[in-house]
Amino acid sequence: MKYDFSNSPMNIKMVDLQSQYLRIKSEIDAAIQEVLMSTAFIQGPQVKAFAEALSKYNQGINVIPCANGTDALQIAMMALDLKAGDEVILPVHTYVATAEVMALLGLTSVFIDVNEKTFNIDVDQIQGKITKKTKAIVPVHLYGQCADMEPIVKIAKENNLFVIEDSAQALGAEYIYSDGTKKMAGTIGTIGTTSFFPSKNLGCYGDGGAIFTPDRALAEKIRMIANHGQKVKYQHDIIGVNSRLDTLQAAILLVKLKYLDEYTRKRNEVAVYYDKHLGNLNYIELPYRASHSTHGFHQYTLRTKGIDRDHFKKYLESKGVPAMIYYPIPLHLQKAYRLDGFGEGSFPITEKLSKTVLSLPIHTEMTEDELSYICEVIKDYHA
Ligand SMILES: *Cc1c(COP(=O)(O)O)cnc(C)c1O
């Protein structure tokens, strides 16, 4: 079948939250109505119920809901008493939030380049960056695939470091140990964090986030920090922040959590379709599947080879196929995060990725017609 590429017959979206909502509309609407009628907008019973449901989903880990995934990272670092001057290791190919909260707390970001295939922190480079001031490693499970946690945890243990997993993009993915056992993303380190930003794999209808920890005492401290440092109202034992998950968002998430595995399955089906139909094109490299992780496919991110990525992106868009670049400017080249002594060439893999990565549409509502059209358009590209 030959398509008319001059104008896309479909309204293809990077994510389609409207169609996703319409499929579960009656449940969502009822959940929202219940909160509206109860008027328990802050710390209503749905917040606790959601935390419990997510804990059950995540193998019983302690779950502390909060206002967003950025706060989750900040609260995690506050709870571990990280202080100005402490060094924290993180991948340089990540979303700004990870480095942003470190800057706010006066911590020193120690960037590390990523593995070109997995897009995640290059484990082999961690040991060399550890100093007397290093306090924590923050792996980011980028695009939905876990960083290689087993060696990271080993290095952390040997050097007495905390591990904070930024699982904003990987909720529902599983890390696979070398002996075959599995653990949910975000439940492996000292603390795990996630985001319920609408387009994340489990998204609410506004901002939301959560913090995970296996340590009960630490969970209690995190809970206090997220709520003005108080356990008892108006009694402030430690310095905290105001970072609560709204009851409305919790009620929505309580409905959507039931569908998370189905959503993950659907994303994986889309990925398998792309893999199957785009496998033998010499101008793109498809996402690599690490043996140490299942994939949440928050993004389906390919790398262009020998062609101008931005020209390719414009071509796709001209055919009605949206595509996104995560992330176009590496953190160490951002005006606000440029560290002394770092410039162009400091992190070659990340810099290369910033010029070659491209994420294709992937969401829970994609149709075979859309996928077929997207693949035909990609195959028809002439550089
Ligand atoms: C989305 C995201 C965050 C921040 O989450 P918000 O809820 O938007 O604050 C942090 N880290 C990564 C890797 C993300 O993708």
Side-chain angles (χ1 to χ4, degrees):
M1 176 175 176
K2 204 68 193 146
Y3 289 96
D4 174 11
F5 292 154
S6 57
N7 52 2
S8 161
M10 294 154 232
N11 179 16
I12 299 170
K13 302 185 180 86
M14 283 302 288
V15 283
D16 184 357
L17 298 175
Q18 189 188 61
S19 303
Q20 193 193 55
Y21 161 61
L22 290 173
R23 274 207 292 141
I24 53 173
K25 182 175 186 303
S26 58
E27 273 183 282
I28 293 278
D29 290 1
I32 291 174
Q33 274 301 316
E34 193 183 336
V35 178
L36 294 183
M37 290 309 290
S38 77
T39 72
F41 298 118
I42 302 292
Q43 308 287 48
Q46 288 86 347
V47 179
K48 196 160 177 244
F50 170 64
E52 282 168 7
L54 187 56
S55 166
K56 205 166 156 208
Y57 180 86
N58 266 345
Q59 298 167 325
I61 197 101
N62 297 291
V63 174
I64 304 95
C66 66
N68 57 67
T70 307
D71 279 6
L73 285 162
Q74 181 177 337
I75 293 164
M77 292 175 199
M78 289 171 75
L80 295 171
D81 292 321
L82 302 188
K83 297 219 162 40
D86 288 347
E87 293 178 6
V88 178
I89 289 170
L90 76 158
V92 67
H93 184 60
T94 183
Y95 182 56
V96 66
T98 328
E100 188 176 45
V101 299
M102 294 183 195
L104 283 171
L105 295 174
L107 312 178
T108 303
S109 292
V110 178
F111 292 136
I112 286 196
D113 214 343
V114 294
N115 178 298
E116 188 168 358
K117 289 198 286 190
T118 64
F119 307 117
N120 282 322
I121 191 163
D122 183 351
V123 175
D124 295 337
Q125 293 191 38
I126 295 177
Q127 189 68 54
K129 293 287 178 90
I130 294 173
T131 73
K132 283 198 178 70
K133 291 181 180 169
T134 310
K135 290 287 160 56
I137 307 171
V138 184
V140 180
H141 305 316
L142 207 70
Y143 307 145
Q145 189 164 243
C146 294
D148 198 357
M149 292 303 293
E150 196 167 4
I152 292 172
V153 168
K154 185 166 174 279
I155 294 169
K157 276 211 176 103
E158 287 165 1
N159 293 278
N160 205 17
L161 308 177
F162 300 118
V163 176
I164 303 170
E165 293 173 77
D166 183 345
S167 311
Q169 303 188 4
L171 194 65
E174 285 176 297
Y175 180 74
I176 305 166
Y177 287 82
S178 45
D179 69 0
T181 56
K182 292 179 176 177
K183 249 185 170 181
M184 302 301 289
T187 70
I188 300 156
T190 324
I191 298 183
T193 65
T194 200
S195 164
F196 307 120
F197 186 84
S199 62
K200 295 283 156 81
N201 286 27
L202 177 64
C204 59
Y205 296 166
D207 275 310
I211 305 158
F212 311 134
T213 180
D215 180 332
R216 279 183 83 99
L218 190 55
E220 213 40 60
K221 189 172 175 191
I222 289 168
R223 209 178 302 283
M224 286 173 71
I225 292 173
N227 189 25
H228 297 298
Q230 63 189 353
K231 198 162 10 183
V232 177
K233 202 164 178 164
Y234 303 126
Q235 195 179 305
H236 307 280
D237 297 337
I238 49 179
I239 295 172
V241 295
N242 174 16
S243 184
R244 297 172 297 226
L245 181 68
D246 290 352
T247 312
L248 274 169
Q249 302 304 341
I252 290 159
L253 288 165
L254 205 44
V255 173
K256 289 188 73 180
L257 179 59
K258 290 186 296 183
Y259 298 96
L260 178 56
D261 283 342
E262 187 188 321
Y263 291 162
T264 303
R265 212 158 35 239
K266 182 69 208 210
R267 287 174 178 279
N268 272 271
E269 279 170 26
V270 171
V272 166
Y273 190 101
Y274 283 140
D275 284 353
K276 192 169 152 209
H277 292 84
L278 301 175
N280 47 17
L281 302 176
N282 61 10
Y283 46 93
I284 53 174
E285 188 93 52
L286 301 182
Y288 173 78
R289 312 290 191 94
S291 58
H292 64 245
S293 179
T294 67
H295 209 314
F297 278 107
H298 175 60
Q299 299 296 342
Y300 186 90
T301 303
L302 49 79
R303 287 172 285 152
T304 56
K305 263 194 314 188
I307 57 168
D308 179 339
R309 188 266 319 272
D310 296 334
H311 180 267
F312 181 54
K313 180 174 185 282
K314 280 203 188 86
Y315 159 80
L316 295 178
E317 285 162 353
S318 75
K319 305 296 180 193
V321 175
M324 296 287 281
I325 299 162
Y326 305 109
Y327 298 92
I329 305 171
L331 283 183
H332 69 286
L333 300 179
Q334 296 281 359
K335 202 168 157 196
Y337 296 94
R338 217 176 243 274
L339 299 177
D340 290 345
F342 288 126
E344 204 89 40
S346 304
F347 300 98
I349 304 294
T350 293
E351 288 167 32
K352 185 175 169 196
L353 290 177
S354 72
K355 296 185 180 84
T356 54
V357 290
L358 195 66
S359 298
L360 297 181
I362 189 163
H363 58 78
T364 60
E365 312 303 315
M366 288 190 81
T367 65
E368 187 146 358
D369 277 354
E370 289 176 326
L371 286 169
S372 164
Y373 175 78
I374 293 167
C375 291
E376 289 305 320
V377 168
I378 291 173
K379 283 190 266 186
D380 209 49
Y381 179 67
H382 305 290

